[in-house]
Amino acid sequence: ASLAPRTHVCLQLHARELGGRRLRPPPVVHLRQLEVGKVTQGHTQEAFCVLFDRSGRLLFTGSDDRLVKTWCARSGRLLRTLRGHEGEITDLAVGADNALLASSSTDNSVRLWRVADGAPVRLLTQRAAPIHSVSFGPVHAAHWLAVGCSGGLTLLFDTRDADAPAILYELPARASVEAQALGGGAGGGAGS
């Protein structure tokens, strides 16, 4: 029998999705090895969304105070506050090229921000279904933003074209129930 560490089956499946690259299992870190680095206070209510940018230098938080904040991951210093949502922040996503940050909110909107300076880029509104999650496409389709809504509704936005309408996908109620019965639920975003 081989004494080499075995790659976790989930990592193998994920590697297969990414084109067959083999991934190493994550290192095991014992709690007693962790130290509190920085404690920051900046939101007036709970922050349920936390996400690093692709470089690891920035940290984004989204809160029930309706704000998205950008922090220096090394120093813990608040760099900027992104304002505009009228409801609690439900999810955050950073594009594969690290240029755009997407934030979703209970106000049924998604806002796009420039990572470099926090400038607002685009406001994407949605009709009546609450928005729960956002996710950018992979590297070869990084301009697509998927938005997950209540009722099995998924919207795709082309972030390159401000005038392009959303592409609408609606999962039939029966398929949604069957997916949940098989253990396939929603999730995977920062706010999940």
Side-chain angles (χ1 to χ4, degrees):
S2 171
L3 297 177
R6 302 186 84 196
T7 303
H8 191 276
V9 74
C10 291
L11 288 174
Q12 290 175 350
L13 293 172
H14 183 68
R16 190 179 328 161
E17 285 182 85
L18 296 176
R21 291 182 289 149
R22 291 191 54 105
L23 299 176
R24 295 179 189 221
V28 175
V29 178
H30 297 282
L31 290 179
R32 64 186 109 100
Q33 293 175 331
L34 297 176
E35 294 181 31
V36 175
K38 299 291 177 186
V39 176
T40 60
Q41 294 181 345
H43 287 286
T44 59
Q45 295 183 18
E46 292 82 7
F48 290 107
C49 305
V50 180
L51 180 70
F52 282 99
D53 78 328
R54 301 291 179 183
S55 72
R57 289 184 229 137
L58 300 175
L59 182 71
F60 304 103
T61 56
S63 170
D64 282 359
D65 62 9
R66 304 173 179 183
L67 300 174
V68 175
K69 295 194 177 228
T70 305
W71 307 84
C72 173
R74 178 177 285 198
S75 70
R77 185 172 53 97
L78 177 64
L79 300 175
R80 63 188 64 90
T81 300
L82 311 179
R83 302 175 192 280
H85 282 293
E86 296 176 10
E88 294 87 2
I89 308 304
T90 58
D91 201 8
L92 300 170
V94 174
D97 60 359
N98 212 37
L100 293 176
L101 169 71
S103 58
S104 62
S105 169
T106 59
D107 65 5
N108 298 344
S109 73
V110 174
R111 289 181 177 269
L112 297 179
W113 315 87
R114 266 196 323 250
V115 169
D117 59 6
V121 173
R122 186 172 172 197
L123 170 64
L124 307 171
T125 57
Q126 207 279 319
R127 293 167 293 189
I131 297 172
H132 300 290
S133 59
V134 289
S135 180
F136 280 96
V139 175
H140 64 278
H143 60 279
W144 287 106
L145 179 69
V147 177
C149 308
S150 290
L153 185 67
T154 301
L155 302 170
L156 287 179
F157 291 93
D158 185 342
T159 61
R160 299 171 300 182
D161 184 359
D163 298 324
I167 298 171
L168 175 72
Y169 292 95
E170 193 161 1
L171 185 62
R174 180 156 173 77
S176 178
V177 170
E178 289 172 359
Q180 288 178 358
L182 295 173
S192 298

